[in-house]
Amino acid sequence: KYIINLTGRRDGSSRFGPDKQWANFGAIGAAWIFSNEDIFNRESSIFSFGKLRSSYGITGNDQISDYRFLNLWQNTPSTYNGVEGLYPTSLYNPDYSWEINRKFEVGLDLSFFKDKILFTSNYYLNKSDNQLVNYRLTAQTGFTSVVRNFPGLVQNSGLEFILSTNAKLGHLSWNSSFNISLPRNKLLAFPDLEGSSYASSYVIGKSLNLIRGFHYLGVDSETGLYTFEDIDGSGTIPINSTTDWDTFGNADPSYFGGLQNNFKISNWSLGFFLHFTKQTGANYLRLFTNAPGFIANQPQIVMGRWRNPGDITEIQKFTSTFTPTRDAYARFIASNQAYTDASFVRLKNLSLSYNVPENWFRTLHIKQCRLYVEGQNLLTITGYKGSDPETQSFYILPPLKTVAGGLQIDF
């Protein structure tokens, strides 16, 4: 009726410097099977099982490349007077150590009608610090980044629900499972954020995937350039400044989940899985950067770009010069117009099979003969314009649509 678990461990990793290799971790978990209390009728035809559980633990992460705490060098690709040279590939940093994750969870498990209906709910609250990252550096250092512990404290929390059913109606068997997750993410603390190289990326108390940028106003019908709001009223909109930036939400999924169904009647079986996500993602307008003349494909929408004064369009003019067209585009990809609703529902899997009756092949000593056809990524329902709402990129192929059929024989 009452359960408690205690664990402890001491881990060492040679991926850290000599003085940072060891760390201690542990966890505690407890559960109460309240359906075993006398108040519940164990012979009840409705309520079968109930369990309340909770846990808290600390885990570590060392998933980085080997020897990154040392100065690493590599041979030059060519020689000088027949002698190979060396050049540095990473900076020395013996001070980074284990990434620490503190995980709390509380959950409820319920069962009804003799396990025909199962329900699980979870609430989790995870806090992570000392994350191992390639910390961004300024160009003056000669390197773009250095491996170190991220100084911020990040919180991930959310709710998860799973509902499963098992039903039998005559010769028809139906198994179904539905799950949904509602994740939340935010930065709790970051010492000296304003003086760091992440000052323009993060805001304390907000999501790490915050969408910040210029406020887009449209294409100027006279100049043919993207225009933006001068938020600070200075009369100019600098590209490399955040004084004219605003906040437009975040790119975290609002929720995601799936629905699995399996049906079986007689010798026939049918199953399918639907995956869905509610999210904001990168707009396809953000992805094409090359004017005509460059070796790159363009979406058909560029045929409706601005050409003459008075044109009303959402695509600015194409020119053979970089400025000011390039500057306007640089502001555009850092604006709210570069993002859109990227929600979708996708039929990930569909399968249909037929088990041939055993007496058909009994003389051939065949135990089982099964015919089947299976499909993956057969259908995507979305309002997103672009290659794929999941990858949100012209340069990554969307999940391949495949159909396969076969015959399985067991002797």
Side-chain angles (χ1 to χ4, degrees), residues 92-108:
Y92 172 72
N93 180 18
D95 295 325
Y96 64 78
S97 58
W98 286 87
E99 177 180 319
I100 304 298
N101 297 294
R102 296 171 177 84
K103 299 175 176 289
F104 169 77
E105 181 177 302
V106 59
L108 177 66

Side-chain angles (χ1 to χ4, degrees), residues 388-406:
D388 179 64
E390 193 169 9
T391 60
Q392 300 167 23
S393 174
F394 285 157
Y395 311 107
I396 300 175
L397 285 175
L400 292 177
K401 181 186 296 185
T402 61
V403 177

Side-chain angles (χ1 to χ4, degrees), residues 14-63:
S14 59
R15 288 176 170 172
F16 303 114
D19 298 328
K20 304 289 184 178
Q21 292 183 346
W22 293 93
N24 300 316
F25 306 105
I28 181 173
W32 172 35
I33 304 178
F34 56 85
S35 57
N36 286 346
E37 297 288 352
D38 294 336
I39 192 174
F40 292 99
N41 181 3
R42 299 185 184 181
E43 302 300 324
S44 171
S45 60
I46 298 177
F47 185 70
S48 306
F49 179 80
K51 180 180 179 181
L52 183 65
R53 51 186 168 74
S54 183
S55 63
Y56 177 80
I58 301 175
T59 63
N61 176 30
D62 69 339
Q63 296 304 298

